[in-house]
Amino acid sequence: MNRRIFTLEAYDLLMNKLSTFILEKVTSVSGIGFKQKVTIQETDTVDYVIHQSMEKKAIKLQVHFCGSDCYSQARAFLDWIASYVDLSSYKMVLKYNEGTSDKWIDTYIQEYELIGMEAGVASVQLTIKPLSPPYTNLTKTILITSSKDSKTYPYGYPYAYGGGSYGSNELVNSYIHAIPLCVTLYGKIANPQVSLFDEAGNCYATVKFTGVTLQAGHKIIVDGINSKITYVNADGEEIDYFNYIDKTSDTFLFAKKGTSKIVPNLDSSEESSPYVEITYIQYSL
């Protein structure tokens, strides 16, 4: 039986990896898995499901540091956690191996307790609170371009709607609930807009910037994963753009369970190559 390996990874809010701490020896693991919360209306014959959700269970494990410098190792681990404990600036991700694949969970360290120091072994009880379900891939990306763009992309079939022709713009969410999307629009685009349509062809979510012209070489990032809206100019300067989104529509996009079509407005008054990039995480149980 393979030993399960746990690693803590620290990222900035743009998901650039900053540091990694491998937990060499871990025992007494609990909380890996899922727990359902289901509200049921009971009747004499058939019970009906009113609401279903997945509870996030606390993950507990004991981390052991061995050797004559075991206490120093445990202290170095605490210092590492302290460097990235500010959740307004950093993201902490727990990575673990499950059989033949790796899984990640967005987390925060709820409790660190030094529970033992004997015979060259320092033991730490760690309680980790999940902020997301497990996921198997860090990100998946869909690229949608305007028909004016002469570049070639490996799309399955064209789909026409509004301002232009697009490649395969389907997103499949196999998780039980809606998942947040990170939408990046690249100019030039007049009145940037991205909508989600369900399998019946109904529009169920839209983000838009009415009265805004996104210039070529500039981009707007509507990040539902990290709850941020950012304008990035040609020099790479970032500006908080939350107040510019059209408040009559949605603030962020969440893709429903099942298949959704992503439909952007890529209209531009000039010849350019506007495109939209959709990044998301595929969650699992």
Side-chain angles (χ1 to χ4, degrees), residues 122-197:
S123 298
V124 173
Q125 178 68 50
L126 208 61
T127 302
I128 302 172
K129 291 288 287 185
L131 294 172
S132 76
Y135 47 92
T136 53
N137 292 302
L138 284 176
T139 57
K140 293 185 177 182
T141 299
I142 297 173
L143 193 67
I144 305 173
T145 68
S146 168
S147 59
K148 297 175 182 178
D149 193 346
S150 60
K151 300 183 182 71
T152 301
Y153 298 97
Y155 291 144
Y157 61 91
Y159 177 75
Y161 186 94
S165 175
Y166 311 107
S168 181
N169 59 339
E170 287 190 348
L171 184 156
V172 179
N173 172 24
S174 58
Y175 190 57
I176 191 171
H177 296 302
I179 60 173
L181 308 181
C182 180
V183 180
T184 305
L185 301 108
Y186 296 83
K188 185 175 184 179
I189 309 172
N191 302 308
Q193 175 177 315
V194 180
S195 298
L196 296 178
F197 287 73

Side-chain angles (χ1 to χ4, degrees), residues 62-249:
Q62 290 183 14
V63 185
H64 307 284
F65 301 93
C66 304
S68 58
D69 63 340
C70 59
Y71 178 77
S72 296
Q73 294 179 52
R75 181 68 214 189
F77 179 43
L78 177 59
D79 290 342
W80 185 88
I81 293 172
S83 298
Y84 303 106
V85 74
D86 182 2
L87 298 178
S88 66
S89 301
Y90 305 106
K91 290 187 72 169
M92 187 79 73
V93 177
L94 176 68
K95 175 185 174 183
Y96 63 94
N97 182 272
E98 191 169 83
T100 59
S101 64
D102 292 332
K103 287 195 174 183
W104 291 262
I105 304 175
D106 295 344
T107 63
Y108 68 92
I109 307 299
Q110 184 182 46
E111 187 175 357
Y112 171 107
E113 181 183 0
L114 186 62
I115 59 172
M117 249 268 305
E118 57 183 32
V121 178
S123 298
V124 173
Q125 178 68 50
L126 208 61
T127 302
I128 302 172
K129 291 288 287 185
L131 294 172
S132 76
Y135 47 92
T136 53
N137 292 302
L138 284 176
T139 57
K140 293 185 177 182
T141 299
I142 297 173
L143 193 67
I144 305 173
T145 68
S146 168
S147 59
K148 297 175 182 178
D149 193 346
S150 60
K151 300 183 182 71
T152 301
Y153 298 97
Y155 291 144
Y157 61 91
Y159 177 75
Y161 186 94
S165 175
Y166 311 107
S168 181
N169 59 339
E170 287 190 348
L171 184 156
V172 179
N173 172 24
S174 58
Y175 190 57
I176 191 171
H177 296 302
I179 60 173
L181 308 181
C182 180
V183 180
T184 305
L185 301 108
Y186 296 83
K188 185 175 184 179
I189 309 172
N191 302 308
Q193 175 177 315
V194 180
S195 298
L196 296 178
F197 287 73
D198 61 22
E199 295 174 79
N202 300 311
C203 178
Y204 67 85
T206 297
V207 292
K208 59 184 178 180
F209 297 84
T210 305
V212 171
T213 297
L214 179 62
Q215 299 297 326
H218 297 221
K219 61 184 177 182
I220 297 174
I221 305 170
V222 184
D223 187 353
I225 299 172
N226 296 299
S227 300
K228 293 177 63 178
I229 301 175
T230 307
Y231 187 99
V232 184
N233 64 24
D235 296 325
E237 180 184 2
E238 296 184 1
I239 302 167
D240 184 349
Y241 220 57
F242 183 84
N243 290 330
Y244 290 88
I245 197 163
D246 192 325
K247 300 302 191 294
T248 65
S249 61

Side-chain angles (χ1 to χ4, degrees), residues 4 123 256:
R4 180 180 273 168
S123 298
K256 291 180 178 180

